[in-house]
Amino acid sequence: MDKAWGGRFTEGTAAIVEAMNASVGFDQILALEDIAGSIAHSRMLAAVSLMTADEQRQIEDGLVAMAAEIRAGTFTWSVQREDVHMNVEGALADRIGRVAGKLHTARSRNDQVALDLRLWLRRELTALGHDLSRAVVQLTTLADAHAEVPMPGYTHLQRAQPITFGHHLSAWAVMLSRDIDRLVDARRRVAVSPLGSGALAGTPLPIDRQRVARELELPNLTLNSLDGVADRDGALETLAVLSILMVHVSRIAEELVLWTSQEFGFIELSDAFCTGSSLMPQKKNPDIPELLRGKAGRVFGALQALLTLMKGLPLAYNKDMQEDKEPLFDAMATARQCVAILPDLLAAMKVRPERMRAALEDGFLLATDLADYLVDKGVPFREAHHIVGAVVGHCVLTRTRLEALSLDEYRRLSDHFDSDLTPVLDARRSLERRSLTGGPAPAAVRQSLVEIRERAAELVTILGSGGPSALERALARGEPLPPPLP
Ligand code: ARG
């Protein structure tokens, strides 16, 4: 088959080269973005008289018909045509003939792929943001329902101070809301049109870059044609955002794994999210949280791959950059799958408040409250810490609990202890007194949840605009396209 660039060549491509060079196996993911970009480009070319209205109509109709085949999965991709861009253009020529050759006027695959990636990133970041907001809302609902369920809070995975299960779930909700914030931010920088950068040095043809950008609802233009084709910051930034998100997902997953163990027994996962062992009949394994934890590795790997790929590349486009796609696509699909499964996984878990309460009994979780009690009596905190340390030491030695010591025993260690000590040794009271903003007191948790939900709703509103253009949305759904700009 004749190559689009075949003019200066006399020999064909070696088969083994064809296989390495081709990207259509993976970049066909960009097909609808590629077509949207081409339609916008052709509309502009007609507006500036680089093609006639009739030629533009033929091109647009052909592209729309191909989009339908791509959506239906009946489009035939060709490795000889190398990548998604030349597949689309080649198939258009098969369909409408010579006039298809006008589509590539004032455009290079270099600015074309840069545009396609930006449109794809904008679409995917928007969708991921919506998925994440569902997870956040689900978490706030669960947190609210468990705002009064006491459990130990941990540092170093050692029982530390009383919190509630709702407080812990609310922490997960804020972690994930920050991820939405970050991806909204990344999306803003992605929504810039590089079209017109050409291969690297723009074009002398009288094109209208603004018009293409407006057609695709991209608020800004790239400001340097070298950078326009050489920049992959949007992909890098997205992978960084996804990596941080996956840190959060993996931390949530790890706690689910821990809590379902017999050692903790704080929760039970629904059978629908677990599997058994082929050997040990009694096993019910938390496979899904384990996979959520493990999948973080792929996403971090993708970020590392792209950083390494881009490092030290001279301007402008280099073929190395074709290697950006597989890690990016895989990382996005992975993150979206993980985030999509979270709400159902969480909704189906069974909480065991009695196990959480039992875990509060041992571990001297109210030791800090005792020290704060002494501080209230005027003892400097460092001294109070020392005294309570001695109380705990005594309890360890005599195998007893803070609540079981008599006032006399307390007074033997410090005469600041008094008859008003008893309520201090109550976990519920300890919780309720930690009512500062962000604290574990049920009222404070509920107050935070109101704010977390408000912020999530704001972010959903922001996500609602600034996503894929009307042109892209119509193409994706197979609906009639909006008319060209006047
Ligand atoms: N398939 C290529 C990529 O993804 C498209 C750009 C190719 N440009 C070129 N001059 N070979 O990077």
Side-chain angles (χ1 to χ4, degrees):
M1 178 174 308
D2 284 344
K3 301 284 186 201
W5 37 257
R8 64 104 64 217
F9 287 76
T10 49
E11 286 175 70
T13 320
I16 195 168
V17 170
E18 203 124 75
M20 176 179 263
N21 197 38
S23 56
V24 65
F26 48 87
D27 67 12
Q28 55 183 267
I29 274 189
L30 301 172
L32 292 183
E33 276 73 30
D34 194 71
I35 288 177
S38 287
I39 290 174
H41 182 65
S42 70
R43 287 178 173 189
M44 179 278 291
L45 290 176
V48 300
S49 305
L50 283 167
M51 63 171 65
T52 67
D54 177 57
E55 288 167 337
Q56 195 281 326
R57 190 73 346 252
Q58 290 181 55
I59 287 175
E60 181 164 328
D61 289 350
L63 289 171
V64 167
M66 283 159 52
E69 290 181 10
I70 290 165
R71 282 193 311 271
T74 55
F75 187 85
T76 318
W77 298 99
S78 144
V79 177
Q80 284 73 37
R81 282 180 171 154
E82 221 176 291
D83 57 20
V84 61
H85 323 292
M86 296 206 289
N87 265 269
V88 168
E89 199 186 315
L92 184 66
D94 296 343
R95 193 179 275 271
I96 65 170
R98 213 174 142 246
V99 60
K102 292 213 167 182
L103 176 59
H104 214 52
T105 307
R107 190 174 69 168
S108 153
R109 272 186 298 154
N110 296 353
D111 55 354
Q112 191 177 354
V113 70
L115 173 73
D116 294 1
L117 261 186
R118 285 175 177 276
L119 296 179
W120 182 85
L121 284 166
R122 175 171 69 174
R123 162 161 72 88
E124 289 292 310
L125 287 170
T126 304
L128 177 62
H130 284 296
D131 291 348
L132 261 172
S133 73
R134 271 186 286 279
V136 169
V137 169
Q138 171 72 270
L139 278 168
T140 59
T141 306
L142 286 171
D144 200 7
H146 297 95
E148 322 253 354
V149 176
M151 74 176 261
Y154 295 79
T155 65
H156 312 267
L157 201 56
Q158 307 288 324
R159 289 174 196 166
Q161 291 178 336
I163 57 164
T164 66
F165 190 50
H167 190 228
H168 201 115
L169 295 173
S170 160
W172 292 355
V174 283
M175 284 148 65
L176 297 184
S177 345
R178 281 198 301 276
D179 294 316
I180 308 181
D181 214 277
R182 256 187 292 274
L183 66 84
V184 161
D185 220 37
R187 191 186 66 165
R188 183 172 55 78
R189 276 183 290 279
V190 152
V192 178
S193 177
L195 225 55
S197 300
L200 76 161
T203 174
L205 295 169
I207 63 167
D208 182 349
R209 292 191 66 197
Q210 270 298 348
R211 192 181 179 95
V212 185
R214 271 189 287 130
E215 195 80 66
L216 294 168
E217 296 167 39
L218 294 167
N220 292 300
L221 301 179
T222 55
L223 295 179
N224 179 294
S225 62
L226 293 176
D227 181 59
V229 292
D231 168 31
R232 291 294 179 274
D233 290 4
L236 282 169
E237 217 180 311
T238 296
L239 288 173
V241 170
L242 296 185
S243 293
I244 298 175
L245 161 65
M246 289 307 292
V247 168
H248 295 156
V249 168
S250 73
R251 293 182 78 172
I252 292 171
E254 166 64 4
E255 294 193 309
L256 293 174
V257 172
L258 278 175
W259 292 347
T260 54
S261 70
Q262 276 167 32
E263 282 66 19
F264 277 83
F266 287 1
I267 58 166
E268 199 185 309
L269 293 176
S270 135
D271 284 359
F273 291 91
C274 296
T275 66
S277 156
S278 55
L279 191 141
M280 299 164 283
Q282 85 284 12
K283 291 299 289 293
K284 177 172 164 182
N285 298 327
D287 296 55
I288 293 305
E290 289 172 289
L291 283 168
L292 292 177
R293 191 174 59 185
K295 280 180 188 291
R298 297 165 73 128
V299 177
F300 302 168
L303 172 62
Q304 194 57 50
L306 202 56
L307 286 169
T308 310
L309 175 69
M310 295 306 295
K311 179 192 172 294
L313 278 187
L315 299 184
Y317 178 84
N318 300 271
K319 189 66 171 240
D320 315 42
M321 287 155 68
Q322 179 165 289
E323 289 289 309
D324 60 355
K325 293 178 193 60
E326 284 167 291
L328 177 64
F329 296 161
D330 181 72
M332 183 59 87
T334 302
R336 286 195 60 186
Q337 185 184 42
C338 293
V339 168
I341 209 168
L342 264 185
D344 292 342
L345 173 69
L346 295 167
M349 79 184 160
K350 208 181 287 160
V351 183
R352 302 235 172 280
E354 72 289 354
R355 292 285 308 222
M356 298 180 182
R357 215 166 287 124
L360 274 172
E361 307 279 296
D362 307 308
F364 309 105
L365 280 92
L366 295 172
T368 319
D369 295 79
L370 268 185
D372 291 339
Y373 166 88
L374 293 174
V375 166
D376 250 356
K377 304 269 176 196
V379 182
F381 180 76
R382 283 290 157 228
E383 241 169 78
H385 185 284
H386 197 80
I387 295 168
V388 177
V391 174
V392 170
H394 175 74
C395 287
V396 170
L397 252 147
T398 56
R399 291 174 182 277
T400 179
R401 302 171 36 206
L402 294 174
E403 300 86 319
L405 293 186
S406 67
L407 183 56
D408 279 349
E409 287 170 290
Y410 271 108
R411 290 185 64 89
R412 229 170 284 144
L413 290 157
S414 164
D415 53 12
H416 291 286
F417 288 117
D418 221 328
S419 54
D420 57 354
L421 176 63
T422 323
V424 176
L425 296 169
D426 177 39
R428 180 156 291 280
R429 179 177 172 277
S430 158
L431 268 173
E432 244 130 49
R433 294 188 58 199
R434 296 168 186 278
S435 57
L436 72 177
T437 301
V445 168
R446 294 213 162 98
Q447 184 51 45
S448 290
L449 289 173
V450 170
E451 290 189 35
I452 296 166
R453 277 197 211 101
E454 277 171 12
R455 181 63 188 140
E458 262 172 51
L459 287 167
V460 168
T461 311
I462 297 173
L463 282 169
S465 55
S469 60
L471 182 58
E472 292 158 82
R473 293 200 306 273
L475 261 183
R477 296 195 191 122
E479 289 165 3
L481 302 191
L485 294 174

